[in-house]
Amino acid sequence: MTTVDPITLDIIENALKNARFEMDGVVVRISLSPVIREQHDEFPMICNARGQMIVGQFGSYIPAIVEQFDGDLNEGDIFVWNDPYACKGSISHNNDWCVMMPIFHEGVLVGFSSIFGHMVDVGGKVPGSMPFDARTIWEEGLRVPPVRIYDKGVLNEGVLAIMLNNSRTPDMNRADLMALIAGCKTAAKRVGELCDRFGRETYMAATDMLLDRTRDAMKVLIEKYISEEPVSFTDYVDDDGVGNGPFKMTLSIYMRDGKAVFDWTGTDDQAEGPINFHIHEGLCKLFFGVYMIMAFDPDILFNEGFYDLFEVILPEGSLLNPRFPAALSNRLNTHTRFFDCQAGALGQRAPHLSMAAGYGTSPHFIFTGHDGDGKYFQLMELLFGGVPGRPRGDGLDGHAWWPLFSATPIEYIENYYPVQVDSYRPVKDSGGPGLHRGGAGIEKVYRVLEPGRISIHDDREVVPPWGINGGLYGGTSAKWIVRAKTGEKERIPSKIDNLEVDAGDVIIFRTAGSGGWGDPYDRPAEEVARDVRYDLVSPEQALEGYGVVLGDDLALDVAATETLRAERKAERGAPEPFNFGFTPEVA
């Protein structure tokens, strides 16, 4: 086997990282939809010839696709699909279009590049293709199994025409699909350059060494933080959109025969509504791996080298392994609660390194209609919430779960759509009190300028994000509409489609905050007073949640604060490891 010296290995590693970020850059420059162009809802990766992810975000699904073509891969082939059931859950709802390209060097297969991105619309019974009340995947838009979109470099016009003909936004979808393809071609070019520079054998040996290095590092983390004694944690999804819930998600983590076992036994059966998460087993391993890397040792290269050290148990017919044709379009309510369960379970063994619960979903707002010129428009925006309190400091206010996501600029929304954004601000008191405050949710106020329909999908309206290590739970989500004609303010459910709106109506969209980390009575009183001045914390929460006494002028009363905190600590005793603010029996 070819050996690679450490300097060359580092050069190849960083070149691949740069190529992966270059893929991002190419995609966002070519795409048209705000979801990809502005919010970066696309996930690239570069894999070795066996289909294992070397750099990327979401982990490799390549082997499950390649096996369907019996090794019939040619230079210039590019594959596309979006059906979760036809690709073993490599993508998890119909809106995600996935592109895969085999990479050849002088006729030899050396790897794969792949990206999937969220398309604004793929058909189905509602604009945006994510009906809140879907009961089967048949209602959620066009399903495309893995097919060649390019065959030896020739575009399959028929496949493309079918995919675009089933979308309400064909121009955006075409541009976004071609952007994904261009990103894959960019990665293929960079991999070819590395093979030219260092030699193909050296490049391929280096990718194996990068996998081995990550595996060795993960083995240390498993031995240090995973015990043979099972540790379990349960969290809940509010509802499935069709009147059922809350839904229990239970995770147990333990070591068996040198492997970390992640067991979802005890999770509720699949939902009638579309919150089911048909997760690929490798993707499930990846989520656990990335959490352990980011929580315990962020210097580890994130790749698939550790997969054989993990075992995943996903009970068939459960919320995380639903049977066809269960609806999947709003699976992110379950997907992100997945992370909260990880934090709760792993936090019991290493509480000093864990974090609280976050806003726990992927809230989105869709507004459709026809403008004054009769032209159809469809705005889709992902909103963010509170990222939880952590060992290193306060949680982030109004931030995405996905690190590279960004908010759609208000200027973009107002320039391209008949919408005015009246305000965009953190929600006061939504960050759970703690030594490190939970991140605040956000309130975004939309004023629609044309009649149309809106759809809203969110969660954590019933089940608050919990606090950890003495931290308190955070605030829940809420939505309202203020009718222009009457001035009446009406509460909107967290999941609703096709709500009719008139020009001038105002939609108030509040996302959930997150839980606090550590004892709030240990938080420096000056920081609490600062948060009050910044309108993140009310004087009432400063007093009740933190034991901080402020005067009428918001000046800190140091002596009164010290006395009050001492009294409360003595009365309370040791803080609880978790603070939920919720029991399913009373939901």
Side-chain angles (χ1 to χ4, degrees), residues 383-579:
L383 284 87
F384 307 142
V387 173
R390 323 162 270 167
R392 66 178 297 175
D394 292 349
L396 304 176
D397 303 321
H399 201 279
W401 267 116
W402 317 113
L404 299 180
F405 274 23
S406 60
T408 306
I410 291 172
E411 295 84 357
Y412 180 96
I413 294 173
E414 295 183 340
N415 191 43
Y416 288 100
Y417 299 97
V419 176
Q420 176 179 304
V421 179
D422 287 355
S423 65
Y424 183 63
R425 68 185 71 185
V427 178
K428 185 189 299 184
D429 292 342
S430 60
L435 170 64
H436 300 149
R437 177 180 55 78
I442 59 99
E443 178 188 270
K444 198 161 193 174
V445 178
Y446 302 89
R447 186 181 302 272
V448 300
L449 305 180
E450 296 282 357
R453 298 173 184 268
I454 65 167
S455 293
I456 286 175
H457 298 164
D458 200 1
D459 205 71
R460 283 241 187 255
E461 184 180 67
V462 175
V463 183
W466 41 266
I468 194 170
N469 300 335
L472 306 185
Y473 65 89
T476 53
S477 63
K479 318 287 178 289
W480 295 270
I481 183 169
V482 181
R483 297 289 185 180
K485 292 181 179 178
T486 64
E488 294 182 357
K489 186 177 182 180
E490 308 167 13
R491 185 73 180 257
I492 303 174
S494 65
K495 301 169 182 68
I496 190 170
D497 282 324
N498 288 329
L499 177 65
E500 292 190 8
V501 292
D502 292 321
D505 286 353
V506 171
I507 295 89
I508 302 169
F509 197 130
R510 287 185 180 174
T511 64
S514 58
W517 190 99
D519 191 341
Y521 297 149
D522 291 337
R523 183 173 177 83
E526 296 81 5
E527 293 183 13
V528 178
R530 178 205 63 194
D531 287 345
V532 172
R533 294 195 302 273
Y534 289 175
D535 212 30
L536 293 167
V537 172
S538 68
E540 293 76 18
Q541 191 185 67
L543 181 64
E544 296 303 320
Y546 292 95
V548 171
V549 181
L550 303 174
D552 293 338
D553 59 353
L554 301 184
L556 175 63
D557 188 329
V558 176
T561 295
E562 291 177 352
T563 300
L564 178 61
R565 284 181 159 184
E567 291 173 352
R568 288 190 178 178
K569 280 190 174 185
E571 180 181 350
R572 181 199 63 193
E576 293 293 325
F578 295 98
N579 180 267

Side-chain angles (χ1 to χ4, degrees), residues 203-218:
Y203 170 78
M204 297 178 76
T207 59
D208 285 341
M209 291 175 67
L210 292 173
L211 292 170
D212 291 342
R213 191 172 66 183
T214 294
R215 185 186 189 279
D216 292 342
M218 183 60 72

Side-chain angles (χ1 to χ4, degrees), residues 259-270:
K259 291 186 177 182
V261 181
F262 300 90
D263 185 352
W264 289 99
T265 300
T267 295
D268 277 346
D269 291 342
Q270 66 190 64

Side-chain angles (χ1 to χ4, degrees), residues 254-402:
Y254 52 92
M255 186 190 294
R256 182 172 63 194
D257 298 328
K259 291 186 177 182
V261 181
F262 300 90
D263 185 352
W264 289 99
T265 300
T267 295
D268 277 346
D269 291 342
Q270 66 190 64
E272 182 182 7
I275 63 167
N276 303 293
F277 185 22
H278 182 50
I279 186 171
H280 184 270
E281 181 179 331
L283 188 59
C284 191
K285 292 180 178 181
L286 177 140
F287 288 149
F288 289 119
V290 70
Y291 184 91
M292 292 183 67
I293 287 172
M294 298 309 295
F296 303 144
D297 191 352
D299 290 333
I300 298 174
L301 176 65
F302 178 44
N303 62 35
E304 290 188 26
F306 56 80
Y307 271 25
D308 69 317
L309 298 175
F310 287 3
E311 179 184 341
V312 174
I313 299 174
L314 296 166
E316 186 178 358
S318 70
L319 205 59
L320 292 169
N321 189 10
R323 297 184 180 95
F324 178 84
L328 309 173
S329 57
N330 290 309
R331 84 285 183 230
L332 275 173
N333 298 324
T334 302
H335 185 177
T336 44
R337 198 73 81 259
F338 186 108
F339 301 137
D340 292 333
C341 287
Q342 283 182 256
L346 290 169
Q348 296 175 54
R349 181 75 190 274
H352 59 295
L353 293 174
S354 192
M355 62 182 182
Y359 66 103
T361 182
S362 187
H364 62 263
F365 172 78
I366 298 172
F367 174 41
T368 61
H370 292 81
D371 63 20
D373 298 323
K375 183 179 179 181
Y376 177 76
F377 63 84
Q378 183 171 317
L379 166 66
M380 178 187 170
E381 181 181 19
L382 299 174
L383 284 87
F384 307 142
V387 173
R390 323 162 270 167
R392 66 178 297 175
D394 292 349
L396 304 176
D397 303 321
H399 201 279
W401 267 116
W402 317 113

Side-chain angles (χ1 to χ4, degrees), residues 47 97 119 134 523:
C47 302
W97 284 8
M119 298 294 150
R523 183 173 177 83

Side-chain angles (χ1 to χ4, degrees), residues 71-79 100-112 148-155 185 188-189 191-192 196 200:
D72 181 17
L73 306 175
N74 307 290
E75 198 156 0
D77 285 353
I78 298 177
F79 300 82
M100 178 193 81
M101 179 179 182
I103 302 173
F104 291 85
H105 180 258
E106 297 176 349
V108 177
L109 180 69
V110 295
F112 297 87
R148 286 181 173 87
I149 188 73
Y150 278 85
D151 189 347
K152 298 179 182 178
V154 178
L155 175 64
K185 289 183 175 180
K189 182 177 181 180
V191 169
D196 289 340
R200 183 168 60 245

